[in-house]
Amino acid sequence: MTDSSSSASSALPQDPHPGPHPDLDALAAALRGRGWRLASAESCTGGLIAAACTDLAGSSDWFERGFVTYSNAAKTELLGVPAALIEAHGAVSEPVARAMAEGAARHAPVQCTLAVTGIAGPGGGSAAKPVGTVWFGWTLPGRSWTEMRRFDGDRASVRRQTRDHALAVLLDALR
């Protein structure tokens, strides 16, 4: 009899930076110092940001929840992103990233949100939105902003870079 759990886990891509993201201690301290909580709204990362946050012991002090909204329907149902907005601009767009971040703020008792929507690959890209295109959205009290980045690498690399950038920008905003 073979152990199927070891063969299944060996097939998963390995993160070269296991455990908590290096900036998470600083992010946790910044949020705790303000008495604030964070929610994530994730599409292309599929929960990697929430996982990174909850890898840190004591994260229940500052991390409220993560919304994994991979499908367009989930973006609409869980975050209130208007279907017409997705139809008009596509899921990977500035208006949708902003609506995801603002929707997470409306649907969770938090002061900070971050949202990501992108094309991790290897397929799904186009000339206008190639693989590696990611839109980010963040909210803080009285402020919301977005940014687009293009990352190189395979699917796992694009997802890791997306996670790292989303957390780093939020930390910079809190400093």
Side-chain angles (χ1 to χ4, degrees):
M1 185 166 160
T2 61
D3 180 3
S4 62
S5 64
S6 64
S7 63
S9 64
S10 65
L12 296 174
Q14 298 300 308
D15 189 334
H17 307 290
H21 182 274
D23 288 337
L24 278 177
D25 285 324
L27 179 61
L31 291 167
R32 274 191 195 109
R34 291 172 173 82
W36 288 1
R37 297 177 65 72
L38 169 65
S40 63
E42 304 180 58
S43 184
C44 63
T45 50
L48 287 178
I49 294 167
C53 291
T54 58
D55 276 347
L56 189 63
S59 59
S60 60
D61 292 344
W62 55 272
F63 185 77
E64 169 62 29
R65 68 185 71 170
F67 297 92
V68 177
T69 56
Y70 200 73
S71 71
N72 292 344
K75 289 172 183 65
T76 299
E77 291 168 19
L78 297 176
L79 300 172
V81 176
L85 190 72
I86 297 170
E87 175 90 16
H89 300 280
V92 180
S93 64
E94 188 278 339
V96 170
R98 182 179 303 276
M100 289 173 66
E102 292 174 353
R106 282 191 310 276
H107 290 88
V110 298
Q111 297 76 27
C112 304
T113 68
L114 61 83
V116 296
T117 181
I119 305 164
S126 67
K129 296 177 186 177
V131 168
T133 302
V134 180
W135 274 98
F136 297 83
W138 297 269
T139 67
L140 292 174
R143 178 178 178 208
S144 69
W145 72 103
T146 60
E147 179 183 340
M148 189 273 290
R149 286 308 239 351
R150 288 207 172 105
F151 298 115
D152 293 325
D154 64 11
R155 181 177 181 82
S157 177
V158 168
R159 288 164 39 107
R160 278 192 305 273
Q161 291 173 80
T162 299
R163 172 199 64 197
D164 293 351
H165 184 72
L167 293 167
V169 169
L170 179 58
L171 176 59
D172 286 346
L174 292 171
R175 286 188 166 148

